[in-house]
Amino acid sequence: MTGILNIGTRALLANQAALQTAGNNIANVNTPGYSRQEVLLQNIKGQFSGSGYYGAGVDIITVQRVHNEFLTRQATLASAVAASDTTRFEQLRQLEDVFKGGPNGLGAAVSDLFNAFSDVVSSPTDQTARAVVLARAEETTSRFQASAAQLQDLKQGVDLQLRDSVAAINSLAQRIADANDEIARAKGVGHDPNDLLDHRDQLLRDLNKYVQTSLIEADDGSMGVFLANSQPLVLGRIVSPVSLVQSDFTDPATTKLAMQRGSTTVPLDEAILGGGSVAGLLRYKNTDLVDAGNLLGRMALAIGTKANEQQALGLDLNGAVGTAMFTLPSMPAGYSASTNTGTATVTANVSTLPVSGATSLVASNYELRFNAGGAIDVVRLSDGQLTSIPGPGPTTLIQIDGLDLNIAGAGAAGDRFLITPFAGAADSITTAFASPSALAMASPVAASIGAANTGTLVMEKLAAKSNPPPAAVTITFTGPGTFTRSDTGATVYAYTPGQPIEYDLVPPATTGWSLTLKGTPQINDTVTIGPNPYPRLNGGNAEAMMALRDLPMFDGAPLTDGYASLMSQVGIRVQGAEFASEVSTSIANNIEKDRSAVAGVNLDEEAAKLLQFQQSYQAAAKMMQVAQNMFDTLMQGLGH
């Protein structure tokens, strides 16, 4: 009788615990991070009697959470990758909005500017036509500045998000450390604190939305949390807070995530941060925004430089040599690495000798490295292309991609410099003058075909290459395919129709003029090239300005297609980021479904368990009632 009463009591308590646990599962069906719990039961060893072993009932081992550690970590990792890809895609969509096409876009303004020179070609002295050119130039610079300002706004927005994210990371890290402390103390009683473990797992999931972590569990149940594969963010109850720092070169355009360990700041390599929104924001700021700024800055610098060079090859309405049409900022000095020990400094500018570098510029930053023995490496950061200059290398000048890298002082082996040639170009470009008369639309040189010529010579093109031009030169043909020049005596030169005749006899031709003729000359036919006697009536330089539209300038694309190329490159990045976001989000959702299938609460299942445990509880109560009745019957029998 005592045995059946004990068995009933134990059964009653066990089913009561199971009912309570099922009720708790139902109550937390919508609680984020909650893992379904269940009561673990075991039978009590039977007691031996002469007729065999009789069971002693049931005992409660513990309440455990239904949890798959592998799926939980996989879901956390996948969510980190998805957060990084999605964050970058959302930011790139905003960047795409900066570079819009249509009549109000930057590309239309550039095209309108160079198309406006056509009216000046037709009427060189028309002040209205010249004023339209200046208005188009002003509109172009305004749109460059507006686009640069939008990029700056995006950068400031990213900086705010990064600061908020860093604050959230540090807060979550501290809460994980506090949870570690509670879990370690709770585990001392021999049972797992299920709700605390769920709470910590949820904190880890929230943390991984910001930055991807790797985890190592300690013997006391506390969780070690590491960033960038090996840097400890949380060890037990100790937190190493993170912060934002500038890159090794203190370049204001780039940012790194760093960890504070005591008095030491440890920068974290962006390439191994993995997932998380912070990694996506850093990649967007340090790569996408920088590249977009370089594309825009190169466009402004190349167009402004080439227009200024062509302006210098013309004469204004007063007969003076043309002055710069656009005011362009100086390229920023190279940023030195914090570890540099030498005295070198590096500056950059667009090459002018032997030819202009405006058509060879590549939208990229560069890293210059001083090596042992005076050797120098220059790395184009956009694609990693390395240019190695064996020692002893140049001590003053390196030319690369249309740029002059000017070195002053002495660099020590290991010194590094970051060159950002296009930073600030778009937001600082302005028109240099407001007077239509200052536009140098006349060519400084003119050519005249001999009046007594008997051949079919016609002038196809005459281009000035320096201003003021050299003294007049007369070309006298000695036959259909040969000629002499008045400045070189009896020397005979070959003539091919359609091939330029250069004033410079040694290429590359950079001074004087370039003349292209068509037709077949006869003996003693002449052409004279010299200073233009009537500059006010000439629109030769306006025609040369208009011809810049088709000049290959941006990675082989014509000048007026530069903006379309910029839009294309940004659009390709957006498409790639969108695809990566869709794939990683789909993977994360599928893994989360697998995790939820194991750890999540199914209401139908819990309802069935409620009925099961309710019936078991009622049966146990009935068992105790039977034991009580037996006891009462026994007592009544003894009373008689």
Side-chain angles (χ1 to χ4, degrees), residues 135 420 436 562 619:
T420 57

Side-chain angles (χ1 to χ4, degrees), residues 492-513:
V492 177
Y493 303 94
Y495 164 71
T496 302
Q499 291 293 321
I501 299 172
E502 304 286 354
Y503 172 80
D504 277 350
L505 299 176
V506 179
T510 58
T511 62
W513 38 259

Side-chain angles (χ1 to χ4, degrees), residues 89 111 113 154 626:
F89 169 56
S111 295
L113 167 61
L154 291 180
V626 169

Side-chain angles (χ1 to χ4, degrees), residues 139 149 227 281 310 342 398 400 402 418 420 476 501 512 638:
E139 178 64 20
L227 304 184
L281 288 171
Q310 194 61 54
I398 296 174
I400 184 170
L418 176 68
T420 57
T476 302
I501 299 172
L638 291 175

Side-chain angles (χ1 to χ4, degrees), residues 190-245:
H191 293 276
D192 288 339
N194 296 323
D195 295 328
L196 283 175
L197 291 172
D198 281 345
H199 173 62
R200 186 177 66 185
D201 281 351
Q202 184 60 37
L203 291 175
L204 289 169
R205 278 193 286 272
D206 291 342
L207 177 62
N208 275 265
K209 292 178 182 178
Y210 293 101
V211 62
Q212 184 177 318
T213 65
S214 54
L215 308 173
I216 298 178
E217 186 172 4
D219 293 339
D220 63 354
S222 63
M223 189 70 73
V225 182
F226 299 84
L227 304 184
N229 293 335
S230 61
Q231 299 300 326
L233 176 66
V234 179
L235 284 178
R237 291 173 289 178
I238 301 174
V239 175
S240 299
V242 296
S243 61
L244 297 171
V245 298

